[in-house]
Amino acid sequence: DADVTQTPRNRITKTGKRIMLECSQTKGHDRMYWYRQDPGLGLRLIYYSFDVKDINKGEISDGYSVSRQAQAKFSLSLESAIPNQTALYFCATSDSGTGNYGYTFGSGTRLTVV
Amino acid sequence: QKEVEQNSGPLSVPEGAIASLNCTYSDRVSQSFFWYRQYSGKSPELIMSIYSNGDKEDGRFTAQLNKASQYVSLLIRDSQPSDSATYLCAVKGSKTSYDKVIFGPGTSLSVIP
């Protein structure tokens, strides 16, 4: 099983619909992140969480919300999807205790808003 | 000026050659530097991290860091077709209030058999 699992892998939704992307991890990492990736724009941070009670906005949080249900689970919601939210979404984790700040990424969710 | 810059490529090298990927960053107090490899349609995978000036080697990969020049590079020796991917440079600042990692746009590498 993957260390960081994202569901669904692909999703097509209509403009105005609410959609939730889910992320769960078995790495025991305390920090979790949501990024989106667009061609030519690279990876941009949407939200991040350092523990269950800590939620922070990233560069591009407008139109998104998150929930950290447990240390291992971090979900991203699009309240009212719009076409320019069409992108590849990645969840990532890191461990603050090791001094290694590298991320482990999930396999991604390809979201299309029509 | 963008915070982390990379040549977008594509960079093409023949099999067996050395591929050299470059990255510059604007935050002078950055302390941690990473290289990720991303195959088309897949997620980024951490391949190297470097924290101090100089070279760090891991197998066929060598990361080089020059903080004075705000420059980090990745060398891939004996390049293989399986190295064909996009390579993302990422930089973590130390003076920010949180664990902020900025990713560059990536350099596409193509290794020609």
Side-chain angles (χ1 to χ4, degrees):
Chain A
D1 287 343
D3 293 326
V4 183
T5 301
Q6 290 184 235
T7 56
R9 291 295 307 274
N10 292 282
R11 179 74 181 266
I12 300 174
T13 191
K14 293 184 177 181
T15 298
K17 293 291 187 182
R18 185 178 189 275
I19 182 171
M20 179 181 290
L21 309 182
E22 299 189 351
C23 177
S24 62
Q25 52 118 344
T26 58
K27 295 191 70 70
H29 288 174
D30 53 336
R31 298 182 172 187
M32 299 186 74
Y33 311 82
W34 276 104
Y35 282 87
R36 66 176 279 177
Q37 188 174 40
D38 300 274
L41 296 178
L43 284 161
R44 292 182 292 167
L45 181 63
I46 306 172
Y47 270 95
Y48 63 101
S49 169
F50 284 176
D51 64 39
V52 175
K53 296 183 180 180
D54 177 79
I55 302 288
N56 303 281
K57 293 182 178 181
E59 308 167 62
I60 54 164
S61 59
D62 287 349
Y64 301 95
S65 63
V66 291
S67 173
R68 184 88 182 260
Q69 301 94 326
Q71 186 185 35
K73 295 180 182 264
F74 192 36
S75 60
L76 175 72
S77 293
L78 285 66
E79 299 303 324
S80 178
I82 56 177
N84 76 1
Q85 292 177 313
T86 293
L88 186 55
Y89 289 83
F90 288 107
C91 174
T93 70
S94 69
D95 184 354
S96 65
T98 62
N100 179 345
Y101 302 102
Y103 290 178
T104 300
F105 283 86
S107 52
T109 295
R110 186 169 296 280
L111 176 66
T112 303
V113 183
V114 298
Chain B
Q1 181 187 9
K2 293 182 180 178
E3 295 185 73
V4 179
E5 298 196 54
Q6 299 179 252
N7 291 329
S8 61
L11 173 65
S12 293
V13 299
E15 183 174 356
I18 296 175
S20 178
L21 305 164
N22 304 315
C23 173
T24 58
Y25 59 94
S26 60
D27 185 351
R28 186 169 292 277
V29 298
S30 297
Q31 295 295 318
S32 306
F33 307 86
F34 309 92
W35 284 99
Y36 289 82
R37 177 177 62 200
Q38 185 176 23
Y39 293 114
S40 181
K42 303 296 185 182
S43 59
E45 173 192 12
L46 180 66
I47 55 172
M48 290 288 285
S49 57
I50 186 167
Y51 304 101
S52 54
N53 278 330
D55 294 359
K56 178 181 178 182
E57 186 174 319
D58 184 359
R60 295 186 296 112
F61 298 99
T62 299
Q64 299 175 317
L65 175 60
N66 183 326
K67 290 185 179 179
S69 300
Q70 295 175 237
Y71 177 91
V72 58
S73 64
L74 179 70
L75 301 178
I76 307 175
R77 292 182 300 281
D78 189 23
S79 295
Q80 301 297 309
S82 60
D83 295 324
S84 298
T86 296
Y87 290 80
L88 306 176
C89 173
V91 176
K92 177 185 179 299
S94 66
K95 299 295 186 181
T96 54
S97 60
Y98 67 97
D99 181 21
K100 180 178 181 181
V101 174
I102 304 296
F103 286 85
T107 297
S108 174
L109 173 66
S110 178
V111 180
I112 310 302

